[in-house]
Amino acid sequence: MKDYSIKEMSVATALEIYNGRHIGNDLLLIDNVSDIPLPNEPRRMQCLLLALCTAGKATYRVDTVEHLAQAGDMMIVSEGQVIDNYMLSRDCEGISIILSYDFFREIIMGIHELSQLFLFARNHPVCHLNEAEKQNIVNYFGVISQKVADDHHHFRRETVRSLMATMIYDLSNTIYRMQNTGDLRQTRAEKIFMDFIRLVEQNFRQERRVSWYGQQLGITPKYLSESVKTVSHRTPNEWIDNYVAMELRVLLKNSTISIKQISEELNFPNQSFLGKYFKEHVGICPSEYRKGVR
């Protein structure tokens, strides 16, 4: 059950505190990590936070686990995670990007290996960059910042999305390097979670039963649920619904096929069932979403 006592953080709520360069409620750039709008009390992330520490150090907790970031470290805090106890040293410097998960998934849509790498980062939220990798991120940030500031660029959002995709490829290469070092071997639960997500990405359009995924992995639905919840703090059903809802958003926003065709493509019994499902998970009906109503 969702913990309603913990306030949420999104690009929109961050903008209420820090009015930096941004694109709607999809992306916010922060020039100094000391300005990241994170109070000491817990916040449940409804966005993706990327922060590069260039000097000093920062300490913070993610899902009750304490982390330390120093110069050259990239911090990655993912959707659904709870961050608190955020403290910086007096000499701490760095840059940060906050992304809505809609925009992030739009950037990596269809690139399953990238989403796999960022899932790995959920449990290893601090990765150390070498000097070249660190400078790359700083350079990307500068170019992205210039494009975000250009309000008159007709393709501003698309240009920023492309630049972010390139930056994320480079960052994912660092995560890949981390993933394959001998001292970061996956636990049994982490392996089950990653295998489950890989299966979901391949099959969510046709198959949404947790029992089916457990059968494919050779484990019971209960053991699958326990492992996924331990690693990600979400249930398998929540992950499956997340992928289905995002695919629906993408098809409604970026295609012209009818809602009836979409319901058939995603194996819904009928268009009416799809409408109820979408409203339950997104908050509005598919036709309103397609028209741009929020």
Side-chain angles (χ1 to χ4, degrees):
M1 182 179 293
K2 190 172 181 179
D3 186 354
Y4 288 98
S5 66
I6 299 176
K7 294 182 179 179
E8 296 181 344
M9 178 178 171
S10 64
V11 176
T13 60
L15 280 166
E16 293 173 2
I17 303 170
Y18 179 83
N19 189 23
R21 293 179 303 285
H22 66 282
I23 295 180
N25 290 329
D26 281 327
L27 178 142
L28 171 63
L29 302 178
I30 298 173
D31 295 312
N32 198 314
V33 288
S34 63
D35 293 325
I36 296 177
L38 285 171
N40 284 330
E41 62 266 22
R43 287 288 186 272
R44 189 181 299 281
M45 302 297 287
Q46 295 301 321
C47 53
L48 175 69
L49 171 67
L50 304 173
L52 173 64
C53 181
T54 56
K57 63 181 181 179
T59 59
Y60 60 102
R61 283 197 299 247
V62 176
D63 294 335
T64 73
V65 178
E66 182 120 359
H67 296 283
L68 167 67
Q70 303 181 83
D73 287 344
M74 174 66 78
M75 298 169 274
I76 303 173
V77 186
S78 303
E79 182 188 33
Q81 295 189 304
V82 175
I83 183 170
D84 70 325
N85 205 33
Y86 176 69
M87 292 183 289
L88 308 176
S89 64
R90 290 185 178 181
D91 60 342
C92 187
E93 296 178 2
I95 53 180
S96 178
I97 300 175
I98 301 177
L99 286 168
S100 74
Y101 249 71
D102 276 2
F103 195 42
F104 174 65
R105 291 189 185 99
E106 193 179 317
I107 290 168
I108 67 167
M109 181 176 60
I111 313 171
H112 296 323
E113 189 174 0
L114 291 192
S115 58
Q116 291 287 319
L117 290 169
F118 270 80
L119 285 169
F120 175 80
R122 289 182 69 91
N123 300 298
H124 306 279
V126 178
C127 54
H128 186 73
L129 278 58
N130 60 39
E131 191 57 37
E133 292 168 334
K134 172 185 166 184
Q135 193 56 51
N136 270 342
I137 298 298
V138 171
N139 292 341
Y140 281 126
F141 186 89
V143 176
I144 291 168
S145 183
Q146 290 175 8
K147 294 301 179 184
V148 171
D150 188 359
D151 294 332
H152 301 294
H153 196 305
H154 182 67
F155 299 102
R156 181 176 69 133
R157 191 177 191 278
E158 290 75 13
T159 303
V160 170
R161 182 177 61 197
S162 296
L163 289 167
M164 283 296 308
T166 308
M167 189 193 82
I168 286 171
Y169 266 117
D170 269 351
L171 180 56
S172 295
N173 187 58
T174 301
I175 298 171
Y176 179 80
R177 173 170 54 78
M178 277 183 57
Q179 189 179 25
N180 287 278
T181 57
D183 57 342
L184 286 178
R185 293 176 183 171
Q186 291 179 327
T187 65
R188 169 68 172 155
E190 286 176 335
K191 185 178 187 309
I192 288 172
F193 173 62
M194 297 292 282
D195 289 345
F196 166 70
I197 291 296
R198 190 175 293 112
L199 272 175
V200 171
E201 288 186 333
Q202 295 169 352
N203 297 282
F204 73 88
R205 294 170 183 83
Q206 294 80 34
E207 188 55 69
R208 296 193 265 279
R209 292 173 298 155
V210 174
S211 59
W212 184 88
Y213 287 97
Q215 186 178 37
Q216 301 307 304
L217 294 170
I219 57 178
T220 66
K222 182 180 178 182
Y223 187 44
L224 172 60
S225 296
E226 289 172 350
S227 299
V228 170
K229 191 73 183 287
T230 296
V231 173
S232 70
H233 305 283
R234 283 183 172 185
T235 66
N237 276 321
E238 286 173 328
W239 277 107
I240 294 165
D241 286 339
N242 184 271
Y243 273 89
V244 174
M246 177 48 56
E247 184 73 2
L248 287 170
R249 287 190 184 101
V250 169
L251 291 172
L252 288 166
K253 184 183 292 185
N254 300 309
S255 77
T256 57
I257 63 175
S258 69
I259 295 174
K260 182 176 184 297
Q261 288 174 298
I262 292 173
S263 70
E264 292 170 354
E265 186 167 327
L266 291 185
N267 204 31
F268 282 93
N270 51 58
Q271 183 176 333
S272 175
F273 194 91
L274 181 149
K276 291 177 183 177
Y277 182 96
F278 191 82
K279 190 162 187 178
E280 178 185 347
H281 291 91
V282 181
I284 60 175
C285 69
S287 58
E288 289 175 327
Y289 186 84
R290 174 162 269 177
K291 291 174 184 175
V293 178
R294 297 287 179 174

